Amino acid sequence: MADVFVAASIRDISPGVKEFAFRPGLGAALRPYAPGSHIVIETAGKANAYSLTGDGTTADGYRISVRRQGDGGGSAWLHDRLRPGDTVRLSRPRSAFAPVATAKHHLYVAAGIGVTPILSHVRAALRWNRSFEVVYGYSAAGAPHLEDLQRLARGRLFEAEGGAQLAEVLTDRLRQQPVGTHAYACGPAGMMAVFRKLGGSLGWPEERLHVEHFAAPELEPGEPFTVRLASGRAVAVPGGTSALDALAEAGVPVPALCRQGVCGQCRVAVAAGTPEHRDLILTSREREANDCFYPCVSRAQTDELELEL
């Protein structure tokens, strides 16, 4: 569900990055959200997800920071076309990257524009007096929200310029964490791979390493299969067509946002059959359970997949 919001302010915060603040339009309302949440903005016929940077209380509206990427996409439209006073449609906040309530300590890791959900986590941690520290990697070309983190984290911020230094700092901080720590990372794919590899090599349980992806990689078309609904109806899913699209065409729409196996909106329970998991959300243990899948990207290892729809 999307509501109308008004662009309250727009400002440059670093080269190629702008911060956008939104206030509710007619009939819309601000809703509290979990740290690490995102909203989806409808721009010029497209829908893109952007992380909220506030602490979740919405005292100053919804705020996002967006790096301009190429031409013709959502970020270019926001940078080049949106002006204060213009209206846009925003989804309600949603999170697949919330802090773990039982964690004794939180290690937040950001690189580049991946700082946005981490900034939300830090602000919430300060509000609720949670134990935390931050590792922030950036390039000489720019470090969005660096001054904010320096002010907020005060002695708990570990900076790294460039990939090599980030790997060194991250290795050190992952080694130093007390028992009961959960680590959260957001940034480019390369950094995320290093984060997971280092965590695994240092003995971190997979369920204590949390990641927020920007987008999924390109996927192969996959083999055709059949989705069986709870009613017994069969829906064919051709190669190169997502189960999400096949279901929608058959009149069985499933709520979805990113359509890349990143946001978690389209999760569906599996009653029988074996999914071919292609999402970037499930842990290894969750994949082995084979009791759910994300139809926007995932397919089936078996000829038929029975869903609880």
Side-chain angles (χ1 to χ4, degrees):
M1 178 181 295
D3 295 317
V4 175
F5 277 73
V6 178
S9 65
I10 302 172
R11 70 184 182 101
D12 295 309
I13 61 169
S14 72
V17 179
K18 289 186 177 183
E19 180 188 67
F20 301 83
F22 299 97
R23 59 177 172 81
L26 185 63
L30 292 168
R31 293 173 172 82
Y33 55 89
S37 292
H38 60 263
I39 54 174
V40 173
I41 303 181
E42 297 178 7
T43 59
K46 298 181 180 180
N48 299 89
Y50 300 101
S51 296
L52 293 162
T53 58
D55 64 12
T57 62
T58 71
D60 59 350
Y62 292 154
R63 290 180 182 270
I64 61 172
S65 293
V66 180
R67 183 185 299 281
R68 193 184 193 284
Q69 303 278 6
D71 296 312
S75 65
W77 188 91
L78 288 168
H79 273 248
D80 301 343
R81 302 284 299 276
L82 191 66
R83 298 290 181 268
D86 290 349
T87 59
V88 290
R89 297 188 67 85
L90 310 184
S91 73
R92 296 179 180 181
R94 178 180 173 83
S95 178
F97 192 55
V100 176
T102 56
K104 303 298 184 184
H105 184 70
H106 304 269
L107 172 64
Y108 302 126
V109 182
I113 198 60
V115 71
T116 51
I118 298 303
L119 185 58
S120 174
H121 275 276
V122 169
R123 284 173 166 154
L126 289 169
R127 173 173 285 277
W128 302 110
N129 198 30
R130 296 174 182 140
S131 176
F132 76 93
E133 64 185 71
V134 186
V135 173
Y136 185 20
Y138 50 83
S139 69
H145 291 295
L146 176 58
E147 292 184 358
D148 289 323
L149 284 178
Q150 290 172 335
R151 173 176 53 84
L152 294 167
R154 292 193 186 183
R156 292 180 280 187
L157 173 64
F158 298 84
E159 299 179 33
E161 185 173 326
Q165 187 177 6
L166 176 57
E168 292 178 7
V169 173
L170 184 54
T171 300
D172 177 68
R173 298 321 305 159
L174 284 168
R175 281 180 175 150
Q176 299 296 324
Q177 298 310 304
V179 174
T181 299
H182 281 251
Y184 314 78
C186 186
M191 183 277 274
M192 307 281 266
V194 169
F195 169 76
R196 280 183 151 160
K197 182 178 181 180
L198 285 174
S201 68
L202 293 171
W204 280 68
E206 185 182 16
E207 59 269 21
R208 293 183 182 270
L209 298 172
H210 310 274
V211 295
E212 175 85 328
H213 291 273
F214 292 145
E218 291 292 325
L219 299 171
E220 294 296 323
E223 296 297 320
F225 64 102
T226 299
V227 166
R228 181 76 60 179
L229 306 181
S231 64
R233 181 184 177 190
V235 177
V237 183
T241 298
S242 72
L244 186 70
D245 288 340
L247 287 165
E249 188 173 341
V252 188
V254 176
L257 290 176
C258 74
R259 294 176 173 268
Q260 299 181 79
V262 173
C263 75
Q265 176 73 25
C266 65
R267 180 173 175 141
V268 176
V270 174
T274 304
E276 178 191 328
H277 298 291
R278 294 179 164 199
D279 65 273
L280 296 174
I281 302 169
L282 297 175
T283 65
S284 297
R285 186 175 300 174
E286 290 170 329
R287 289 169 182 258
E288 290 170 1
N290 286 326
D291 58 2
C292 71
F293 96 132
Y294 294 94
C296 63
V297 292
S298 296
R299 304 190 69 79
Q301 296 182 37
T302 48
D303 292 335
E304 187 170 289
L305 201 62
E306 185 178 336
L307 304 180
E308 294 182 9
L309 283 174

